Short mmCIF file of all heavy atoms in Angstrom, two decimals:
data_model
loop_
_atom_site.label_atom_id
_atom_site.label_comp_id
_atom_site.label_asym_id
_atom_site.label_seq_id
_atom_site.Cartn_x
_atom_site.Cartn_y
_atom_site.Cartn_z
N ALA A 166 112.75 109.44 81.41
CA ALA A 166 113.17 109.48 79.99
C ALA A 166 112.68 108.21 79.27
O ALA A 166 112.18 108.25 78.13
CB ALA A 166 114.66 109.63 79.87
N ALA A 167 112.80 107.06 79.93
CA ALA A 167 112.35 105.78 79.34
C ALA A 167 110.84 105.84 79.11
O ALA A 167 110.37 105.44 78.01
CB ALA A 167 112.72 104.62 80.27
N LEU A 168 110.11 106.35 80.08
CA LEU A 168 108.65 106.45 79.92
C LEU A 168 108.32 107.30 78.68
O LEU A 168 107.43 106.95 77.91
CB LEU A 168 108.05 107.05 81.19
CG LEU A 168 106.56 107.21 81.16
CD1 LEU A 168 105.83 105.87 81.24
CD2 LEU A 168 106.08 108.11 82.33
N ALA A 169 109.02 108.43 78.54
CA ALA A 169 108.72 109.31 77.41
C ALA A 169 109.00 108.59 76.07
O ALA A 169 108.30 108.78 75.11
CB ALA A 169 109.56 110.59 77.51
N SER A 170 110.07 107.75 76.05
CA SER A 170 110.41 107.06 74.82
C SER A 170 109.38 105.97 74.46
O SER A 170 109.28 105.57 73.32
CB SER A 170 111.80 106.45 74.92
OG SER A 170 111.78 105.26 75.73
N ILE A 171 108.68 105.47 75.46
CA ILE A 171 107.74 104.36 75.21
C ILE A 171 106.45 104.86 74.58
O ILE A 171 105.83 104.17 73.74
CB ILE A 171 107.43 103.62 76.55
CG1 ILE A 171 108.68 102.93 77.08
CG2 ILE A 171 106.32 102.57 76.33
CD1 ILE A 171 108.55 102.44 78.52
N GLY A 172 106.05 106.07 74.93
CA GLY A 172 104.82 106.61 74.37
C GLY A 172 103.62 106.27 75.24
O GLY A 172 103.78 105.81 76.40
N PRO A 173 102.42 106.49 74.71
CA PRO A 173 101.22 106.35 75.53
C PRO A 173 100.97 104.90 75.98
O PRO A 173 101.50 103.93 75.37
CB PRO A 173 100.08 106.83 74.64
CG PRO A 173 100.62 106.80 73.25
CD PRO A 173 102.13 106.90 73.35
N GLY A 174 100.18 104.78 77.01
CA GLY A 174 99.80 103.39 77.48
C GLY A 174 100.59 102.95 78.71
O GLY A 174 100.26 101.89 79.26
N TYR A 175 101.62 103.74 79.08
CA TYR A 175 102.39 103.35 80.24
C TYR A 175 102.51 104.51 81.21
O TYR A 175 102.31 105.64 80.87
CB TYR A 175 103.81 102.91 79.81
CG TYR A 175 103.84 101.56 79.19
CD1 TYR A 175 103.49 101.40 77.84
CD2 TYR A 175 104.15 100.43 79.91
CE1 TYR A 175 103.45 100.14 77.25
CE2 TYR A 175 104.14 99.16 79.31
CZ TYR A 175 103.80 99.04 78.01
OH TYR A 175 103.76 97.77 77.44
N GLU A 176 102.84 104.18 82.45
CA GLU A 176 102.97 105.22 83.47
C GLU A 176 104.07 104.84 84.48
O GLU A 176 104.49 103.68 84.53
CB GLU A 176 101.68 105.46 84.23
CG GLU A 176 101.26 104.27 85.09
CD GLU A 176 99.90 104.45 85.73
OE1 GLU A 176 99.23 105.49 85.47
OE2 GLU A 176 99.56 103.56 86.52
N LEU A 177 104.52 105.86 85.22
CA LEU A 177 105.56 105.67 86.21
C LEU A 177 104.91 105.45 87.57
O LEU A 177 103.93 106.17 87.92
CB LEU A 177 106.41 106.98 86.27
CG LEU A 177 107.87 106.87 86.65
CD1 LEU A 177 108.65 106.02 85.62
CD2 LEU A 177 108.50 108.27 86.73
N GLN A 178 105.38 104.49 88.33
CA GLN A 178 104.87 104.25 89.66
C GLN A 178 106.04 104.26 90.63
O GLN A 178 106.97 103.46 90.50
CB GLN A 178 104.15 102.89 89.74
CG GLN A 178 103.75 102.47 91.13
CD GLN A 178 102.50 103.23 91.65
OE1 GLN A 178 101.46 103.22 91.00
NE2 GLN A 178 102.65 103.96 92.72
N ARG A 179 106.04 105.20 91.57
CA ARG A 179 107.14 105.24 92.59
C ARG A 179 106.69 104.52 93.83
O ARG A 179 105.54 104.64 94.27
CB ARG A 179 107.48 106.68 92.91
CG ARG A 179 108.06 107.45 91.72
CD ARG A 179 108.44 108.87 92.08
NE ARG A 179 109.00 109.55 90.92
CZ ARG A 179 108.31 110.24 90.02
NH1 ARG A 179 107.02 110.31 90.14
NH2 ARG A 179 108.93 110.82 89.00
N GLY A 180 107.58 103.75 94.43
CA GLY A 180 107.30 103.04 95.68
C GLY A 180 108.44 103.23 96.64
O GLY A 180 109.18 104.20 96.56
N LYS A 181 108.54 102.31 97.61
CA LYS A 181 109.63 102.40 98.60
C LYS A 181 110.93 101.99 97.97
O LYS A 181 111.17 100.81 97.74
CB LYS A 181 109.33 101.52 99.82
CG LYS A 181 108.16 102.01 100.64
CD LYS A 181 107.85 101.04 101.77
CE LYS A 181 106.65 101.51 102.55
NZ LYS A 181 106.12 100.46 103.46
N MET A 182 111.82 102.96 97.64
CA MET A 182 113.13 102.65 97.05
C MET A 182 113.02 101.91 95.73
O MET A 182 113.86 101.09 95.41
CB MET A 182 114.02 101.81 98.02
CG MET A 182 114.21 102.45 99.35
SD MET A 182 115.39 103.84 99.23
CE MET A 182 115.47 104.32 100.95
N VAL A 183 111.97 102.19 95.02
CA VAL A 183 111.75 101.52 93.72
C VAL A 183 110.96 102.45 92.82
O VAL A 183 110.11 103.24 93.27
CB VAL A 183 111.02 100.18 93.94
CG1 VAL A 183 109.68 100.36 94.65
CG2 VAL A 183 110.81 99.45 92.59
N VAL A 184 111.32 102.44 91.54
CA VAL A 184 110.55 103.16 90.50
C VAL A 184 110.19 102.11 89.45
O VAL A 184 110.98 101.28 89.06
CB VAL A 184 111.33 104.32 89.85
CG1 VAL A 184 110.43 105.10 88.93
CG2 VAL A 184 111.93 105.22 90.92
N GLU A 185 108.95 102.18 88.98
CA GLU A 185 108.46 101.16 88.08
C GLU A 185 107.75 101.77 86.88
O GLU A 185 107.14 102.83 87.04
CB GLU A 185 107.52 100.24 88.84
CG GLU A 185 106.90 99.17 88.01
CD GLU A 185 106.35 98.00 88.85
OE1 GLU A 185 106.69 97.91 90.04
OE2 GLU A 185 105.62 97.21 88.31
N ILE A 186 107.88 101.16 85.72
CA ILE A 186 107.08 101.54 84.53
C ILE A 186 106.16 100.37 84.25
O ILE A 186 106.57 99.21 84.17
CB ILE A 186 107.96 101.84 83.31
CG1 ILE A 186 108.82 103.08 83.59
CG2 ILE A 186 107.08 102.04 82.07
CD1 ILE A 186 109.84 103.34 82.46
N ARG A 187 104.89 100.68 84.12
CA ARG A 187 103.89 99.61 83.87
C ARG A 187 102.73 100.17 83.06
O ARG A 187 102.57 101.37 82.94
CB ARG A 187 103.37 99.11 85.25
CG ARG A 187 102.78 100.25 86.02
CD ARG A 187 101.94 99.76 87.17
NE ARG A 187 101.05 100.83 87.52
CZ ARG A 187 100.59 101.10 88.73
NH1 ARG A 187 100.94 100.29 89.70
NH2 ARG A 187 99.78 102.06 88.95
N PRO A 188 101.92 99.28 82.49
CA PRO A 188 100.78 99.76 81.73
C PRO A 188 99.87 100.63 82.58
O PRO A 188 99.67 100.31 83.73
CB PRO A 188 100.08 98.46 81.30
CG PRO A 188 101.12 97.43 81.37
CD PRO A 188 102.06 97.80 82.48
N ASP A 189 99.35 101.73 81.99
CA ASP A 189 98.54 102.64 82.79
C ASP A 189 97.10 102.21 82.89
O ASP A 189 96.26 102.87 83.51
CB ASP A 189 98.64 104.05 82.26
CG ASP A 189 98.07 104.23 80.86
OD1 ASP A 189 97.48 103.25 80.32
OD2 ASP A 189 98.22 105.34 80.27
N SER A 190 96.78 101.07 82.27
CA SER A 190 95.40 100.57 82.29
C SER A 190 95.12 99.80 83.59
O SER A 190 93.99 99.42 83.84
CB SER A 190 95.16 99.64 81.09
OG SER A 190 96.12 98.62 81.11
N ALA A 191 96.18 99.65 84.39
CA ALA A 191 96.00 98.78 85.60
C ALA A 191 96.39 99.54 86.86
O ALA A 191 97.30 100.33 86.87
CB ALA A 191 96.88 97.54 85.47
N ASP A 192 95.65 99.32 87.93
CA ASP A 192 96.10 99.68 89.25
C ASP A 192 95.40 98.73 90.24
O ASP A 192 94.51 97.97 89.85
CB ASP A 192 95.89 101.16 89.58
CG ASP A 192 94.42 101.54 89.71
OD1 ASP A 192 93.64 100.76 90.30
OD2 ASP A 192 94.05 102.60 89.18
N LYS A 193 95.86 98.72 91.47
CA LYS A 193 95.33 97.76 92.41
C LYS A 193 93.84 97.97 92.73
O LYS A 193 93.13 97.03 93.02
CB LYS A 193 96.17 97.81 93.72
CG LYS A 193 97.54 97.21 93.58
CD LYS A 193 98.23 97.17 94.94
CE LYS A 193 99.54 96.34 94.86
NZ LYS A 193 100.08 96.14 96.22
N GLY A 194 93.40 99.21 92.61
CA GLY A 194 91.99 99.51 92.81
C GLY A 194 91.11 98.83 91.76
O GLY A 194 90.11 98.16 92.06
N ARG A 195 91.55 99.00 90.49
CA ARG A 195 90.76 98.33 89.42
C ARG A 195 90.81 96.82 89.55
O ARG A 195 89.83 96.14 89.21
CB ARG A 195 91.31 98.78 88.03
CG ARG A 195 90.72 100.12 87.64
CD ARG A 195 91.27 100.55 86.27
NE ARG A 195 92.31 101.56 86.44
CZ ARG A 195 92.71 102.36 85.48
NH1 ARG A 195 92.21 102.25 84.26
NH2 ARG A 195 93.64 103.28 85.72
N ALA A 196 91.96 96.31 90.03
CA ALA A 196 92.06 94.85 90.19
C ALA A 196 91.06 94.36 91.25
O ALA A 196 90.38 93.33 91.03
CB ALA A 196 93.46 94.45 90.58
#
Side-chain angles (χ1 to χ4, degrees):
L168 179 71
S170 77
I171 295 166
Y175 285 82
E176 68 184 3
L177 211 62
Q178 173 75 58
R179 296 181 178 90
K181 291 177 183 167
M182 303 286 183
V183 58
V184 187
E185 177 160 346
I186 294 174
R187 58 164 201 211
D189 64 6
S190 55
D192 67 43
K193 287 186 170 189
R195 278 181 257 196

